[in-house]
């Protein structure tokens, strides 16, 4: 599978993450069979999580971004690892269009009211958990709000998913620009003014712009409130590949089923003859019969010995 691409770096005033997640979101849509509305929302979440995951250090670290809203889709969740792998799911893709809940602009609100959790599991006794109220019906606005309220960092977050007439993902991408400590807030204002004057990330990608050219466009010809031209040098520190990747396995699900207890497992097997589970992240199904449990229990007994 072709991988998506990300660049990150810094300038005098800010650090930035910029990514083209087209292939990543295409894979997510294919695996989960998402309609245009669902993949637009989900693609933005995957894009944001992929960029946020670049702060992870150890290969065992995991970042989870979870929207717990009362909108049509319920839970929206995505996780990222330091190796560039990203996965996630939408809690209720059955309930699609025709909902009554609206946002402040009168648009259908598929997120609703609730909380946004950002969980960083870095192998410590307790993971870091940041929690904020869902502030809008837009994924990007909520991520920027989280950065400002939970980690006190002013940020500009831009996310987009462009679908074609067939409802398939054409382009997906985004960027996060965060103010460095001790820098005046007006730099963020300049970036926001610049964003309003150019096309969206997905339109630029569709027009043939690569990430470096988009970055240059963002930083060049910035203006202050008086209209004076400003130049700020920047450096790209790292380029990396990211992909939609699920690490589920037959053995992992089987081990998890053991937590049901022997009595409940036997009851399910007697009633259905087998136990079927489906992975939320890649929709892969695993079927287990009585022999599967006997084999695993035998292996566990040998380990104890």
């Amino acid at each position: 599978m072709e991988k998506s691409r990300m660049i990150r770096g810094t300038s005098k005033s800010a650090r930035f993450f910029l990514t083209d997640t087209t292939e990543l979101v295409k894979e997510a849509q294919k695996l989960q069979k998402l309609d245009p509305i669902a993949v637009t929302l989900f693609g933005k979440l995957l894009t944001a999580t992929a960029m946020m995951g670049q702060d992870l250090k150890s290969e065992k670290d995991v970042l989870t971004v979870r929207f717990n809203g009362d909108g049509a889709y319920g839970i929206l969740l995505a996780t990222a690892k330091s190796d560039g792998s990203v996965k996630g799911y939408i809690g209720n893709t059955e309930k699609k269009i025709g909902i009554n809940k609206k946002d402040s602009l009168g648009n259908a609100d598929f997120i609703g009211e609730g909380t946004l959790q950002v969980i960083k599991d870095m192998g410590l006794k307790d993971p870091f958990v940041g929690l904020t109220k869902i502030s809008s019906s837009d994924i990007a606005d909520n991520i920027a709000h989280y950065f400002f309220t939970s980690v006190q960092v002013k940020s500009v977050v831009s996310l987009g998913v462009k679908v074609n007439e067939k409802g398939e993902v054409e382009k997906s991408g985004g960027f996060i620009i965060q103010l460095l400590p001790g820098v005046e807030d007006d730099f963020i204002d300049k970036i926001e003014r610049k964003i309003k004057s150019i096309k969206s990330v997905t339109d630029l990608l569709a027009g043939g712009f690569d990430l470096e050219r988009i970055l240059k466009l963002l930083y060049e010809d910035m203006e202050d409130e008086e209209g004076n031209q400003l130049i700020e040098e920047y450096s790209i520190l790292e380029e990396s590949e990211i992909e939609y990747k699920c690490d589920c396995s037959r053995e992992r699900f089987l081990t998890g089923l053991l937590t049901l207890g022997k009595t409940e497992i036997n009851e399910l097997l007697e009633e259905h003859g087998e136990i079927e589970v489906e992975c939320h992240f890649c929709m892969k199904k695993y079927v287990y019969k009585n022999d599967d449990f006997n084999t695993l229990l035998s292996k566990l007994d040998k380990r104890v010995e």
Side-chain angles (χ1 to χ4, degrees):
M1 185 187 77
E2 188 176 346
K3 296 182 181 180
S4 291
R5 182 169 170 260
M6 182 184 302
I7 58 175
R8 69 177 183 89
T10 185
S11 66
K12 180 181 68 175
S13 302
R15 68 172 187 159
F16 58 81
F17 304 86
L18 180 61
T19 184
D20 176 350
T21 54
T22 302
E23 297 304 320
L24 186 158
V25 177
K26 280 184 177 180
E27 181 68 8
Q29 183 179 38
K30 182 180 76 173
L31 290 173
Q32 301 196 24
K33 298 178 174 58
L34 301 173
D35 64 50
I37 294 176
V39 78
T40 298
L41 198 64
F42 190 45
K44 291 179 180 180
L45 176 59
L46 290 172
T47 299
T49 305
M51 291 187 282
M52 295 167 71
Q54 292 298 296
D55 280 336
L56 299 173
K57 306 301 180 186
S58 168
E59 61 181 18
K60 294 182 179 180
D61 295 350
V62 180
L63 173 83
T64 301
V65 181
R66 175 178 174 133
F67 283 83
N68 305 295
D70 62 0
Y73 287 133
I75 294 172
L76 286 85
L77 180 146
T79 70
K81 293 184 178 180
S82 61
D83 63 0
S85 62
V86 187
K87 64 180 182 179
Y89 67 85
I90 294 181
N92 184 13
T93 55
E94 299 291 322
K95 199 172 180 181
K96 299 173 183 176
I97 305 172
I99 59 171
N100 296 321
K101 196 171 182 63
K102 305 288 183 179
D103 64 13
S104 59
L105 299 177
N107 301 315
D109 187 354
F110 292 93
I111 300 177
E113 297 178 354
T115 59
L116 166 60
Q117 285 180 297
V118 177
I119 305 163
K120 294 181 182 178
D121 187 346
M122 296 175 284
L124 303 175
K125 183 178 180 181
D126 296 309
F128 166 82
V129 180
L131 184 68
T132 61
K133 283 187 176 181
I134 293 173
S135 60
S136 84
S137 60
D138 181 69
I139 296 288
D141 288 345
N142 281 290
I143 298 297
H145 179 70
Y146 161 76
F147 281 131
F148 183 68
T149 57
S150 285
V151 291
Q152 289 75 54
V153 177
K154 277 204 167 184
S155 309
V156 173
V157 181
S158 178
L159 308 167
V161 176
K162 187 181 182 70
V163 297
N164 59 26
E165 293 179 354
K166 296 180 180 178
E168 301 166 339
V169 174
E170 182 179 318
K171 290 292 178 182
S172 176
F175 59 81
I176 296 175
I177 300 176
Q178 296 186 310
L179 203 64
L180 293 174
V183 177
E184 294 295 327
D185 292 353
D186 62 348
F187 178 79
I188 289 294
D189 298 332
K190 296 165 192 170
I191 287 289
E192 289 178 337
R193 283 196 294 271
K194 185 60 187 289
I195 292 170
K196 291 177 181 178
S197 70
I198 63 176
K199 294 181 178 180
S200 68
V201 175
T202 47
D203 282 340
L204 292 171
L205 289 170
F209 278 59
D210 61 17
L211 297 180
E212 287 79 5
R213 192 175 175 191
I214 294 174
L215 179 62
K216 183 179 179 182
L217 182 63
L218 285 169
Y219 266 91
E220 71 182 9
D221 299 331
M222 283 192 293
E223 295 182 350
D224 60 20
E225 292 181 347
E226 286 73 39
N228 300 314
Q229 297 294 312
L230 301 169
I231 297 176
E232 175 150 324
E233 300 295 330
Y234 61 84
S235 298
I236 296 174
L237 302 178
E238 184 181 29
E239 176 184 339
S240 58
E241 292 182 331
I242 53 176
E243 63 178 329
Y244 191 94
K245 183 179 179 181
C246 181
D247 55 356
C248 72
S249 69
R250 182 175 180 79
E251 186 174 26
R252 179 175 294 182
F253 271 109
L254 182 56
T255 304
L257 284 172
L258 289 179
T259 61
L260 294 175
K262 190 173 182 179
T263 301
E264 187 171 349
I265 289 172
N266 287 333
E267 288 177 354
L268 289 170
L269 289 171
E270 287 177 10
E271 183 178 353
H272 303 286
E274 62 186 29
I275 298 176
E276 181 180 284
V277 296
E278 182 178 75
C279 178
H280 288 309
F281 299 107
C282 67
M283 314 308 289
K284 189 172 182 178
K285 294 181 179 180
Y286 297 92
V287 177
Y288 303 95
K289 298 182 182 297
N290 194 63
D291 288 346
D292 294 308
F293 293 98
N294 291 336
T295 301
L296 180 60
L297 289 171
S298 177
K299 288 181 180 179
L300 292 175
D301 289 339
K302 288 181 180 179
R303 290 177 188 175
V304 173
E305 293 174 3

